[in-house]
Amino acid sequence: MSTPAPGYSGPPRPWPRLSVEELLAVKNTQPIHSLDDLAADTFESDEELEEFLAFTYAERHRDAA
């Protein structure tokens, strides 16, 4: 059995229970209305995207052969 850390003063206090609405308000989160809300320009060009997809495909199938 381990010993408590210095300054330990008993069991941890439970986190306050918040509703989903309260958690969203605390995080200032807005609902997703469409897939466009999730869109991001991750790759600078189509070529960069194609390189990433080729690499990902190769890595996923590397041990299959």
Side-chain angles (χ1 to χ4, degrees):
M1 193 160 146
S2 62
T3 58
Y8 178 76
S9 63
R13 295 186 323 168
W15 289 94
R17 297 201 185 271
L18 300 175
S19 69
V20 171
E21 289 79 14
E22 291 169 323
L23 288 170
L24 292 173
V26 168
K27 297 279 187 178
N28 194 26
T29 304
Q30 300 300 315
I32 297 170
H33 297 289
S34 75
L35 290 177
D36 292 335
D37 293 345
L38 301 175
D41 291 327
T42 303
F43 300 99
E44 293 183 15
S45 66
D46 289 343
E47 292 78 23
E48 188 178 0
L49 171 60
E50 292 299 324
E51 288 174 14
F52 171 77
L53 293 175
F55 169 79
T56 302
Y57 180 84
E59 287 297 305
R60 288 183 176 174
H61 294 91
R62 177 177 45 166
D63 295 330

